[in-house]
Amino acid sequence: GCLGKITTFTETEPSKYLVIVSGLVRFMILKELKRKNGYRRVKVSYEPFSFDLIEEKQVLFERETLVGLLKEYLTLYGISPNWDEINAASDERLITSLAMVCPFEPREKQALLESPSLVDRCRMMTAFIEMAFLRGSGEPWIQH
């Protein structure tokens, strides 16, 4: 899960609300507690994701390599992104956005969510993109 902070709260019509929550730090659920007033309660550990609280100033990855792979990958899936936005995005925004919008398998998206750091998330994403090329190659050894 993720601990979040309500950053915007608007009543759109009677009894309907638009709430925007910004994620602060991920957590692992250690134990389910008894529900209270209909709400789920859990005991959590933030330790595996404590680095979420530290802003990564410089991401150590080859952005040009990732963007080059991304162009081929998105073409493979018939997706035409806004390249101006991609080129202007910060490293963190780029990697986080790609993790959300790329057509990865649910297991892959979950693995990206659980990546310990932005650099690890980028490396994993690059591996998923490369595996997609291999799956699309039709080589029989890929399927075993």
Side-chain angles (χ1 to χ4, degrees), residues 32-42:
E32 289 277 343
L33 303 174
K34 185 177 177 182
R35 287 183 178 259
K36 186 173 184 179
N37 298 327
Y39 291 100
R40 183 179 182 199
R41 298 183 323 138
V42 294

Side-chain angles (χ1 to χ4, degrees), residues 10-49:
T10 308
E11 186 171 5
T12 58
E13 45 185 275
S15 301
K16 296 205 181 209
Y17 304 95
L18 174 63
V19 178
I20 297 177
V21 178
S22 297
L24 299 176
V25 61
R26 294 172 289 170
F27 58 78
M28 297 290 292
I29 297 174
L30 301 177
K31 180 181 176 184
E32 289 277 343
L33 303 174
K34 185 177 177 182
R35 287 183 178 259
K36 186 173 184 179
N37 298 327
Y39 291 100
R40 183 179 182 199
R41 298 183 323 138
V42 294
K43 181 175 180 147
V44 302
S45 172
Y46 297 101
E47 190 173 339
F49 302 107

Side-chain angles (χ1 to χ4, degrees), residues 71-136:
K71 285 180 182 180
E72 294 179 45
Y73 176 75
L74 295 178
T75 299
L76 181 68
Y77 285 92
I79 298 170
S80 300
N82 182 332
W83 289 108
D84 291 334
E85 283 188 33
I86 287 174
N87 293 327
S90 69
D91 291 347
E92 182 176 9
R93 172 69 97 194
L94 174 64
I95 294 167
T96 301
S97 297
L98 291 175
M100 290 187 288
V101 302
C102 283
F104 297 125
E105 297 291 323
R107 290 182 312 231
E108 295 169 333
K109 286 194 179 225
Q110 186 64 37
L112 290 168
L113 279 172
E114 294 177 6
S115 297
S117 71
L118 197 58
V119 171
D120 292 326
R121 190 173 304 127
C122 180
R123 288 180 183 144
M124 189 178 297
M125 185 181 312
T126 300
F128 291 158
I129 290 171
E130 289 171 342
M131 288 188 309
F133 291 137
L134 292 174
R135 281 193 300 266

Side-chain angles (χ1 to χ4, degrees), residues 134-135 137-144:
L134 292 174
R135 281 193 300 266
S137 73
E139 293 292 329
W141 63 270
I142 304 286
Q143 299 170 7
H144 296 288

